[in-house]
Amino acid sequence: KKKKELIKRITYMSLLIIGATGTLGRQIVRRAIDEGYSVKCLVRNLRKAYFLKEWGAELVYGDLSLPETLPLSLKDTTAIIDASTARPSDAYNAEVIDLQGKVALIEAAKVAKIDRFIFFSVLNGRNYSEVPLIDLKIKIEEYLKQSDIDYTIFYLGGFFQGLISQYA
């Protein structure tokens, strides 16, 4: 029975994409839908994210700054792809999203028995830990590694608009 359940979960992977309205996130959503995955997007603003629904994604309300909104969004999800980061225009500081919110997301993922957590960090980030957002990403990498969740970390060469004001 366990083998049958595992095969079912592998052949039917349901993705929850965090940061789906962002530059990277929307590309992930588009590709996942094109590849035939069941895609849910955690969004703060349903109107702003409506284009994702038109592409075929399911929209679920959630906000990393409100941890109580996260557990319900994980129902029937096998993998999380976290492409989110705080924006300079957000009313709260980056630590609320990029540390506290992501810790809450990882904890909710453990409870929901998520099969895989995919996280995006910064290539050679440890060389730039004095940059606040990069330091937060390093902390989440470590937290994820200690979480007992299967994970993948992609190290990107840049792409984080929220970093520009911190080093430019």
Side-chain angles (χ1 to χ4, degrees):
K1 184 176 178 178
K2 280 190 174 187
K3 186 175 181 182
K4 197 175 201 179
E5 177 68 22
L6 179 62
I7 290 170
K8 181 181 175 188
R9 288 181 70 81
I10 290 171
T11 57
Y12 175 78
M13 184 171 280
S14 174
L15 306 175
L16 176 66
I17 300 174
I18 320 289
T21 60
T23 306
L24 176 60
R26 69 183 57 208
Q27 300 305 316
I28 295 168
V29 171
R30 172 60 91 184
R31 182 62 185 256
I33 290 169
D34 289 349
E35 294 289 326
Y37 290 100
S38 171
V39 175
K40 294 189 294 186
C41 300
L42 184 79
V43 298
R44 292 180 290 176
N45 183 325
L46 295 169
R47 257 184 297 145
K48 181 181 173 186
Y50 189 76
F51 71 96
L52 299 168
K53 185 174 183 172
E54 290 177 333
W55 290 356
E58 176 187 349
L59 303 182
V60 293
Y61 174 76
D63 188 333
L64 290 173
S65 70
L66 301 169
E68 65 274 11
T69 66
L70 301 176
L72 190 58
S73 68
L74 299 177
K75 185 177 183 331
D76 299 324
T77 298
T78 53
I80 294 171
I81 301 177
D82 177 13
S84 67
T85 194
R87 295 180 178 155
S89 59
D90 287 340
Y92 31 77
N93 70 25
E95 191 167 315
V96 171
I97 298 297
D98 289 292
L99 185 61
Q100 297 165 10
K102 291 181 189 259
V103 165
L105 181 62
I106 292 167
E107 289 302 312
K110 285 172 25 179
V111 171
K113 296 182 175 33
I114 298 300
D115 291 342
R116 177 150 308 265
F117 194 109
I118 299 169
F119 180 67
F120 295 92
S121 196
V122 179
L123 183 65
N124 298 319
R126 295 197 186 287
N127 297 336
Y128 306 99
S129 61
E130 72 280 359
V131 177
L133 186 56
I134 293 176
D135 184 55
L136 296 174
K137 290 201 172 282
I138 292 167
K139 288 176 179 172
I140 290 302
E141 287 176 32
E142 294 307 314
Y143 196 85
L144 187 57
K145 289 174 184 176
Q146 302 299 318
S147 72
D148 291 329
I149 297 174
D150 286 337
Y151 65 88
T152 301
I153 300 173
F154 288 102
Y155 294 95
L156 307 179
F159 221 91
F160 301 101
Q161 294 93 330
L163 287 175
I164 293 170
S165 65
Q166 295 181 30
Y167 65 81

